Amino acid sequence: MLKMAPIDECSKAFETILYHSGKFGSYQRRLYVVVCSMHIVCSAVLTYTHVIPYLVHHEECTERITAPGNASIYFRLNNWTVNYPASCRSYYVNDIGLENDWVFPQWAYPGHPLDVRKFIYYGKACGLGAGFLLGALLADYVGRRQTVFSAFLVMCAAQCLTAISQDPVVFIVCQTLVGFGAGCFIPPSAVLVLEYVGHDWRDICVCLLPWWLGPSLLSLGGTIFRHWRHLAIISGMAGLPLIGFYFLVFESSRWLLCNHKFSEAERVTKEVISCNCKPVPEVTTLFDIARACVLTTMHKKKYTYIDLISTSKLRKATFAAVFTWFPGTVVYGGLLIRLRSIAPTFYLNMLVVFATDVVVVISAILINKCIGRRWCLFLYAMSSGLISICILVLHVTNDVIEDRMLAWLAYFTKLGVITSLTLLALITMETYPTVIRTMGCAVGFSAGLIGLLVSDKLIIYLEPFHYTMPFLIYGGLMSLVAVGVLGYPETTKQPLPDILRCRHRNVCRHEAVRLPSAWTT
């Protein structure tokens, strides 16, 4: 006989409570608005250093030569030696097309002995990776709410300190702390929203977190201030008022329940029910079922990253997370490099590259409700791979390939890639049980971060061979992502798993209710 998978009664009970109290009620809407606002600030802060370009010194002189008949001839010379009386002006040209009246830090100008940009890039990446791993561990140890708001405060404070930094070393340290705070904030904040909404709303709430709006607002601020200090202080200060919403956001009831904090879990859940103004019949009975399920299947313990491979199902999911996140972000990072100048101005470029993603993501939300998460992700990953391989068609049918044609091919490929990564984040969070959910998410995000770091090196080695090579490699990598997705379980319309069963925890349910302090822990 086939062995039936054990039923997660805790998850079923909580989904029933959400069904009656509101899958996306007043409290869920409040939580979603707060987290969305925080994500907008986070993405703006993370992309802040993109407005500090590489600068090249230029000197333009207008030389005047007097000819017979008192006529004057003017010559405009760039960085040439001037022999005759001339009027000269000195200015700096940057690689992203910002206006000459922008003010940048002193280390950004030519002549500084230290390549500060490289240290900022790798420092922020290291901080982000450390934040992913440590923040997820804290979120599963001490709770989602405390981790989210503490990390967000660290990120905003470090961004404000960036604005007053004079020394490049201080700037690097502040931006590393920005990366660390953002890494600690991102996984638990998305998980906190996921654990409070019904299954019909999980894809909408996670996929439509407006991270794409932050870079667009940052570019808008750049058009107004045009000063690196002003932009840093505004982007950092924008997040500080959101810290006050700590008192209006509750801890995750699922996390409290699975960590044997039954009284607090019941209190928080009743607060949510009261906020949504919808009664839940037999709520006490549902809590009894959830408590009994936790007591009979799980020890009260601290879970670690080792638990991500504790069962065959989790090992398969963890391998699929690494196998899909790494190549997907390699492709995304390479395409972003190609899209640095797709629009005529820096501000419009930020808007086109980031803000237009939401249209394709909405289409993925609609499609996944019809065919499921896995096959929708398979469809978008494979489609983006095929679009990338279309470079062969351009190569065969055109004698000369312009850079703009390659840029627009990269743009349409990126739309499919970012949609695939968005769905991938949703499936990763839905696959793992509550007690290790943020840790599983952090492993996937960390693999993706490594992919981003590899992407800029990969394109340097591929471009010299032939301009088609990067696109062909990207097509192959997205095909790997499409295949790797099949390692995930289907999560559409499924209850969010809560229980990670302990091997030696097998207590009869009627005995569990007699355990000391089972109801007051």
Side-chain angles (χ1 to χ4, degrees), residues 424-493:
L424 192 56
L426 173 63
I427 295 177
T428 303
M429 286 186 281
E430 289 180 328
T431 298
Y432 291 97
T434 295
V435 289
I436 57 172
R437 180 167 292 123
T438 49
M439 286 189 282
C441 186
V443 168
F445 285 4
S446 300
L449 179 63
I450 296 173
L452 283 176
L453 295 176
V454 170
S455 62
D456 60 341
K457 304 298 181 185
L458 183 65
I459 196 169
I460 291 175
Y461 291 110
L462 292 178
E463 283 282 359
F465 288 100
H466 199 267
Y467 71 91
T468 62
M469 283 298 296
F471 287 94
L472 296 178
I473 297 296
Y474 296 158
L477 290 176
M478 289 310 297
S479 299
L480 288 178
V481 173
V483 173
V485 167
L486 301 180
Y488 285 101
E490 180 55 65
T491 57
T492 306
K493 298 182 180 179

Coordinates of all heavy atoms in Angstrom, one line a residue, residues 424-493:
L424 N 9.5 32.5 -8.7 CA 10.4 31.6 -8.0 C 10.5 32.0 -6.5 O 10.5 31.1 -5.6 CB 11.8 31.7 -8.6 CG 12.9 30.7 -8.2 CD1 12.4 29.3 -8.5 CD2 14.2 30.9 -9.0
A425 N 10.5 33.3 -6.2 CA 10.5 33.7 -4.8 C 9.2 33.3 -4.1 O 9.2 32.8 -2.9 CB 10.6 35.3 -4.7
L426 N 8.1 33.4 -4.8 CA 6.8 32.9 -4.2 C 6.8 31.4 -3.9 O 6.5 31.0 -2.8 CB 5.7 33.3 -5.2 CG 4.3 32.7 -4.8 CD1 3.8 33.3 -3.5 CD2 3.3 33.0 -6.0
I427 N 7.3 30.6 -4.9 CA 7.3 29.2 -4.7 C 8.2 28.8 -3.6 O 7.9 27.8 -2.8 CB 7.6 28.5 -6.0 CG1 6.5 28.7 -7.1 CG2 7.8 27.0 -5.8 CD1 6.8 28.1 -8.4
T428 N 9.4 29.4 -3.5 CA 10.4 29.1 -2.5 C 9.8 29.3 -1.1 O 9.9 28.5 -0.2 CB 11.6 29.9 -2.7 OG1 12.2 29.7 -4.0 CG2 12.7 29.5 -1.7
M429 N 9.1 30.4 -0.9 CA 8.5 30.7 0.4 C 7.4 29.8 0.7 O 7.1 29.4 1.9 CB 8.0 32.2 0.4 CG 9.2 33.2 0.6 SD 8.6 34.9 0.8 CE 8.2 35.3 -0.9
E430 N 6.6 29.4 -0.3 CA 5.4 28.5 0.0 C 5.9 27.0 0.2 O 5.1 26.3 0.7 CB 4.5 28.5 -1.2 CG 3.7 29.8 -1.4 CD 2.8 29.8 -2.6 OE1 3.1 29.2 -3.6 OE2 1.8 30.5 -2.5
T431 N 7.1 26.7 -0.2 CA 7.5 25.3 -0.1 C 7.9 24.9 1.3 O 7.6 23.7 1.8 CB 8.7 25.0 -1.0 OG1 8.2 25.3 -2.4 CG2 9.1 23.6 -0.9
Y432 N 8.5 25.7 2.0 CA 9.1 25.4 3.4 C 8.1 25.6 4.5 O 7.3 26.5 4.4 CB 10.4 26.2 3.6 CG 11.5 25.9 2.7 CD1 11.8 26.6 1.6 CD2 12.4 24.8 3.0 CE1 12.8 26.3 0.8 CE2 13.4 24.5 2.2 CZ 13.7 25.3 1.1 OH 14.7 24.9 0.2
P433 N 8.2 24.7 5.5 CA 7.3 24.9 6.7 C 7.6 26.2 7.4 O 8.7 26.8 7.3 CB 7.7 23.7 7.6 CG 8.3 22.7 6.7 CD 9.0 23.5 5.6
T434 N 6.7 26.6 8.3 CA 6.8 27.9 8.9 C 8.1 28.1 9.7 O 8.8 29.1 9.7 CB 5.6 28.1 9.9 OG1 4.4 28.2 9.1 CG2 5.8 29.4 10.7
V435 N 8.5 27.0 10.4 CA 9.7 27.2 11.4 C 11.0 27.3 10.6 O 12.0 27.8 11.2 CB 9.8 25.9 12.3 CG1 8.7 25.9 13.3 CG2 9.7 24.6 11.5
I436 N 11.1 27.0 9.3 CA 12.3 27.2 8.5 C 12.1 28.0 7.2 O 12.9 27.9 6.3 CB 13.0 25.9 8.2 CG1 12.0 24.9 7.5 CG2 13.5 25.2 9.5 CD1 12.7 23.7 7.0
R437 N 10.9 28.6 7.2 CA 10.5 29.3 5.9 C 11.5 30.4 5.5 O 12.0 30.5 4.3 CB 9.1 29.8 6.0 CG 8.6 30.5 4.7 CD 7.2 30.8 4.8 NE 6.4 29.5 4.7 CZ 5.6 29.1 5.7 NH1 5.3 29.9 6.7 NH2 4.9 28.0 5.6
T438 N 11.9 31.3 6.4 CA 12.8 32.4 6.0 C 14.2 31.9 5.8 O 14.9 32.4 4.9 CB 12.8 33.4 7.1 OG1 13.0 32.8 8.4 CG2 11.5 34.2 7.2
M439 N 14.6 30.8 6.4 CA 15.9 30.2 6.2 C 15.9 29.6 4.8 O 16.9 29.8 4.0 CB 16.3 29.2 7.2 CG 16.7 29.8 8.5 SD 17.4 28.6 9.7 CE 15.9 27.8 10.3
G440 N 14.9 28.9 4.4 CA 14.8 28.4 3.0 C 14.8 29.5 2.0 O 15.5 29.4 0.9
C441 N 14.1 30.5 2.3 CA 14.1 31.7 1.3 C 15.5 32.3 1.3 O 15.9 32.7 0.2 CB 13.0 32.7 1.8 SG 12.7 34.1 0.8
A442 N 16.2 32.4 2.4 CA 17.5 33.0 2.4 C 18.5 32.2 1.6 O 19.4 32.8 1.0 CB 18.0 33.2 3.9
V443 N 18.4 30.9 1.6 CA 19.3 30.1 0.8 C 19.1 30.4 -0.7 O 20.1 30.6 -1.4 CB 19.1 28.6 1.1 CG1 19.8 27.7 0.1 CG2 19.6 28.3 2.5
G444 N 17.9 30.5 -1.1 CA 17.6 30.8 -2.5 C 18.1 32.2 -2.9 O 18.8 32.4 -3.9
F445 N 17.9 33.2 -2.0 CA 18.3 34.6 -2.2 C 19.8 34.7 -2.3 O 20.4 35.4 -3.1 CB 17.8 35.5 -1.2 CG 16.3 35.8 -1.4 CD1 15.5 35.2 -2.4 CD2 15.7 36.7 -0.5 CE1 14.2 35.5 -2.5 CE2 14.3 37.0 -0.7 CZ 13.6 36.4 -1.7
S446 N 20.5 33.9 -1.4 CA 22.0 33.9 -1.4 C 22.5 33.3 -2.6 O 23.5 33.9 -3.2 CB 22.5 33.2 -0.1 OG 22.0 33.7 1.1
A447 N 21.9 32.2 -3.1 CA 22.4 31.7 -4.4 C 22.2 32.7 -5.5 O 23.0 32.8 -6.4 CB 21.6 30.4 -4.7
G448 N 21.1 33.4 -5.5 CA 20.8 34.5 -6.4 C 21.8 35.6 -6.4 O 22.3 36.1 -7.4
L449 N 22.2 36.0 -5.2 CA 23.2 37.0 -5.0 C 24.6 36.6 -5.6 O 25.3 37.4 -6.3 CB 23.4 37.3 -3.5 CG 24.4 38.4 -3.2 CD1 24.0 39.7 -3.8 CD2 24.6 38.5 -1.6
I450 N 25.0 35.4 -5.4 CA 26.2 34.8 -6.0 C 26.1 34.9 -7.5 O 27.1 35.2 -8.2 CB 26.5 33.4 -5.5 CG1 26.8 33.4 -4.0 CG2 27.7 32.8 -6.2 CD1 26.9 32.1 -3.4
G451 N 24.9 34.6 -8.0 CA 24.7 34.7 -9.5 C 24.9 36.1 -10.0 O 25.5 36.3 -11.1
L452 N 24.4 37.1 -9.3 CA 24.6 38.5 -9.7 C 26.1 38.9 -9.7 O 26.5 39.6 -10.6 CB 23.8 39.4 -8.7 CG 22.3 39.5 -8.9 CD1 21.7 40.3 -7.8 CD2 21.9 40.0 -10.3
L453 N 26.8 38.4 -8.7 CA 28.2 38.7 -8.7 C 29.0 38.0 -9.8 O 30.0 38.6 -10.4 CB 28.8 38.2 -7.3 CG 28.3 39.0 -6.1 CD1 28.9 38.4 -4.8 CD2 28.7 40.5 -6.2
V454 N 28.5 36.9 -10.2 CA 29.2 36.1 -11.3 C 28.8 36.8 -12.7 O 29.6 36.7 -13.6 CB 28.8 34.7 -11.3 CG1 29.3 33.9 -12.6 CG2 29.4 34.0 -10.1
S455 N 27.7 37.4 -12.8 CA 27.1 37.8 -14.1 C 28.0 38.9 -14.8 O 28.3 38.8 -16.0 CB 25.7 38.4 -13.9 OG 25.7 39.5 -13.1
D456 N 28.5 39.8 -14.0 CA 29.4 40.9 -14.6 C 30.7 40.3 -15.0 O 31.3 40.8 -16.0 CB 29.5 42.1 -13.7 CG 30.2 41.7 -12.4 OD1 30.2 40.5 -12.0 OD2 30.7 42.6 -11.6
K457 N 31.2 39.3 -14.4 CA 32.5 38.7 -14.8 C 32.2 37.8 -16.0 O 33.1 37.8 -17.0 CB 33.0 37.8 -13.7 CG 33.3 38.5 -12.4 CD 34.3 39.6 -12.5 CE 34.6 40.3 -11.2 NZ 35.5 41.5 -11.4
L458 N 31.1 37.2 -16.1 CA 30.8 36.3 -17.2 C 30.7 37.0 -18.5 O 31.3 36.6 -19.6 CB 29.5 35.5 -17.0 CG 29.1 34.5 -18.0 CD1 30.0 33.3 -18.0 CD2 27.6 34.0 -17.7
I459 N 30.1 38.2 -18.5 CA 29.9 38.9 -19.8 C 31.2 39.5 -20.2 O 31.5 39.7 -21.5 CB 28.9 40.1 -19.6 CG1 28.4 40.6 -20.9 CG2 29.4 41.2 -18.7 CD1 27.2 41.5 -20.8
I460 N 32.2 39.8 -19.3 CA 33.5 40.3 -19.7 C 34.3 39.2 -20.5 O 34.9 39.5 -21.5 CB 34.3 40.7 -18.5 CG1 33.7 41.9 -17.8 CG2 35.8 40.9 -18.8 CD1 34.4 42.3 -16.5
Y461 N 34.1 37.9 -20.1 CA 34.8 36.9 -20.8 C 34.1 36.4 -22.1 O 34.7 35.9 -23.0 CB 35.0 35.7 -19.9 CG 36.0 35.9 -18.8 CD1 35.5 36.1 -17.5 CD2 37.3 36.1 -19.0 CE1 36.4 36.3 -16.4 CE2 38.2 36.4 -18.0 CZ 37.8 36.5 -16.7 OH 38.6 36.7 -15.7
L462 N 32.8 36.6 -22.2 CA 32.0 36.1 -23.3 C 32.0 37.1 -24.5 O 32.0 36.7 -25.7 CB 30.6 35.8 -22.9 CG 30.4 34.6 -22.0 CD1 28.9 34.4 -21.6 CD2 30.9 33.3 -22.6
E463 N 31.9 38.4 -24.2 CA 31.8 39.4 -25.2 C 32.9 39.3 -26.3 O 32.7 39.5 -27.5 CB 31.7 40.8 -24.6 CG 30.4 41.2 -24.0 CD 29.4 41.6 -25.1 OE1 29.7 41.6 -26.3 OE2 28.2 41.8 -24.7
P464 N 34.2 39.1 -25.9 CA 35.3 39.1 -26.9 C 35.1 38.0 -27.9 O 35.6 38.2 -29.0 CB 36.5 39.0 -26.0 CG 36.2 39.5 -24.7 CD 34.8 39.1 -24.5
F465 N 34.5 36.9 -27.6 CA 34.4 35.8 -28.6 C 33.4 36.2 -29.7 O 33.8 36.2 -30.9 CB 33.8 34.6 -27.9 CG 34.8 33.9 -27.0 CD1 34.8 34.1 -25.6 CD2 35.8 33.1 -27.5 CE1 35.8 33.5 -24.8 CE2 36.8 32.5 -26.7 CZ 36.7 32.7 -25.3
H466 N 32.2 36.6 -29.3 CA 31.2 37.0 -30.4 C 30.1 37.7 -29.6 O 29.7 37.3 -28.5 CB 30.7 35.8 -31.2 CG 30.1 36.2 -32.5 ND1 28.8 36.4 -32.6 CD2 30.7 36.5 -33.7 CE1 28.5 36.7 -33.9 NE2 29.6 36.8 -34.5
Y467 N 29.4 38.6 -30.2 CA 28.3 39.3 -29.6 C 27.1 38.4 -29.3 O 26.3 38.7 -28.5 CB 27.9 40.5 -30.4 CG 27.2 40.2 -31.7 CD1 25.8 40.1 -31.7 CD2 27.9 40.0 -32.9 CE1 25.1 39.8 -32.8 CE2 27.2 39.8 -34.0 CZ 25.8 39.6 -34.0 OH 25.1 39.4 -35.2
T468 N 27.0 37.3 -30.0 CA 25.9 36.4 -29.8 C 26.1 35.4 -28.6 O 25.2 34.9 -28.1 CB 25.7 35.5 -31.0 OG1 26.8 34.7 -31.3 CG2 25.3 36.3 -32.2
M469 N 27.4 35.3 -28.1 CA 27.7 34.3 -27.1 C 26.9 34.6 -25.8 O 26.3 33.6 -25.2 CB 29.2 34.3 -26.8 CG 30.0 33.5 -27.9 SD 29.5 31.8 -27.9 CE 30.0 31.3 -26.3
P470 N 26.9 35.8 -25.2 CA 26.1 36.0 -24.0 C 24.7 35.6 -24.1 O 24.1 34.9 -23.2 CB 26.3 37.5 -23.7 CG 27.5 37.9 -24.4 CD 27.6 37.0 -25.7
F471 N 24.0 36.0 -25.2 CA 22.6 35.6 -25.4 C 22.4 34.1 -25.5 O 21.4 33.6 -25.0 CB 22.0 36.4 -26.6 CG 21.9 37.8 -26.4 CD1 22.9 38.7 -26.8 CD2 20.7 38.4 -25.8 CE1 22.7 40.1 -26.6 CE2 20.6 39.7 -25.6 CZ 21.6 40.6 -26.0
L472 N 23.3 33.4 -26.1 CA 23.1 32.0 -26.2 C 23.3 31.3 -24.9 O 22.6 30.4 -24.5 CB 24.1 31.4 -27.2 CG 24.0 31.9 -28.7 CD1 25.1 31.3 -29.6 CD2 22.6 31.5 -29.2
I473 N 24.3 31.8 -24.1 CA 24.5 31.3 -22.8 C 23.3 31.6 -21.9 O 22.8 30.7 -21.1 CB 25.7 31.9 -22.1 CG1 27.0 31.5 -22.9 CG2 25.9 31.4 -20.7 CD1 27.3 30.0 -22.9
Y474 N 22.7 32.8 -22.0 CA 21.5 33.2 -21.2 C 20.3 32.3 -21.6 O 19.6 31.8 -20.7 CB 21.1 34.6 -21.5 CG 22.2 35.6 -21.0 CD1 22.2 36.9 -21.6 CD2 23.1 35.3 -20.1 CE1 23.2 37.8 -21.2 CE2 24.1 36.2 -19.7 CZ 24.1 37.5 -20.2 OH 25.0 38.4 -19.8
G475 N 20.2 32.0 -22.9 CA 19.1 31.1 -23.3 C 19.3 29.7 -22.6 O 18.3 29.1 -22.2
G476 N 20.5 29.2 -22.6 CA 20.7 27.9 -22.0 C 20.5 27.9 -20.5 O 19.9 26.9 -20.0
L477 N 20.9 28.9 -19.9 CA 20.7 29.0 -18.4 C 19.2 29.1 -18.0 O 18.8 28.5 -17.1 CB 21.5 30.2 -17.9 CG 23.0 30.1 -17.9 CD1 23.6 31.4 -17.4 CD2 23.5 29.0 -17.0
M478 N 18.4 29.9 -18.8 CA 17.0 29.9 -18.5 C 16.3 28.6 -18.8 O 15.3 28.3 -18.1 CB 16.4 31.1 -19.3 CG 16.8 32.5 -18.8 SD 16.6 32.7 -17.1 CE 14.8 32.5 -16.8
S479 N 16.8 27.8 -19.7 CA 16.3 26.5 -19.9 C 16.6 25.6 -18.7 O 15.7 24.8 -18.3 CB 16.9 25.9 -21.2 OG 16.6 26.6 -22.3
L480 N 17.7 25.8 -18.1 CA 18.0 25.0 -16.9 C 17.1 25.4 -15.7 O 16.7 24.6 -14.9 CB 19.5 25.3 -16.4 CG 20.6 24.7 -17.3 CD1 22.0 25.1 -16.8 CD2 20.4 23.1 -17.3
V481 N 16.8 26.7 -15.7 CA 15.8 27.2 -14.7 C 14.5 26.5 -14.9 O 13.8 26.1 -13.9 CB 15.7 28.7 -14.7 CG1 14.6 29.2 -13.8 CG2 17.0 29.4 -14.3
A482 N 14.0 26.5 -16.1 CA 12.7 25.9 -16.4 C 12.7 24.4 -16.0 O 11.7 23.9 -15.5 CB 12.4 26.0 -17.9
V483 N 13.8 23.7 -16.2 CA 13.8 22.3 -15.8 C 13.9 22.1 -14.3 O 13.3 21.3 -13.7 CB 15.0 21.6 -16.5 CG1 15.2 20.2 -16.0 CG2 14.9 21.6 -18.0
G484 N 14.7 23.0 -13.7 CA 14.9 23.0 -12.2 C 13.6 23.2 -11.5 O 13.4 22.8 -10.3
V485 N 12.7 24.0 -12.0 CA 11.4 24.4 -11.4 C 10.6 23.1 -11.1 O 9.8 23.0 -10.1 CB 10.6 25.3 -12.3 CG1 9.2 25.5 -11.8 CG2 11.3 26.7 -12.2
L486 N 10.8 22.1 -11.9 CA 10.0 20.9 -11.8 C 10.4 20.1 -10.5 O 9.7 19.2 -10.1 CB 10.2 19.9 -13.0 CG 9.8 20.6 -14.3 CD1 10.1 19.6 -15.5 CD2 8.4 21.0 -14.3
G487 N 11.5 20.5 -9.8 CA 11.8 20.0 -8.5 C 11.0 20.5 -7.4 O 11.1 19.9 -6.3
Y488 N 10.3 21.5 -7.6 CA 9.4 22.1 -6.5 C 8.1 21.4 -6.5 O 7.6 21.0 -7.6 CB 9.2 23.6 -6.8 CG 10.3 24.5 -6.5 CD1 11.1 25.0 -7.5 CD2 10.6 24.9 -5.1 CE1 12.2 25.8 -7.2 CE2 11.6 25.7 -4.8 CZ 12.4 26.2 -5.9 OH 13.5 27.0 -5.6
P489 N 7.4 21.3 -5.4 CA 6.0 20.8 -5.4 C 5.1 21.9 -5.8 O 5.4 23.1 -5.8 CB 5.8 20.5 -3.9 CG 6.7 21.4 -3.1 CD 7.9 21.6 -4.0
E490 N 3.9 21.5 -6.3 CA 2.9 22.5 -6.7 C 2.3 23.1 -5.5 O 1.8 22.3 -4.6 CB 1.8 21.8 -7.6 CG 0.7 22.8 -8.1 CD 1.3 24.0 -8.8 OE1 1.9 23.8 -9.9 OE2 1.2 25.1 -8.3
T491 N 2.2 24.4 -5.4 CA 1.7 25.1 -4.2 C 0.4 25.9 -4.4 O -0.1 26.4 -3.5 CB 2.8 26.0 -3.6 OG1 3.2 27.0 -4.6 CG2 4.0 25.2 -3.2
T492 N 0.0 25.9 -5.6 CA -1.3 26.7 -5.9 C -2.5 26.1 -5.2 O -2.7 24.9 -5.2 CB -1.5 26.6 -7.4 OG1 -0.4 27.1 -8.1 CG2 -2.7 27.5 -7.8
K493 N -3.2 26.9 -4.5 CA -4.4 26.6 -3.7 C -4.1 25.5 -2.7 O -5.1 24.9 -2.2 CB -5.5 26.1 -4.7 CG -5.9 27.1 -5.7 CD -7.0 26.6 -6.6 CE -7.5 27.6 -7.6 NZ -8.5 27.1 -8.5

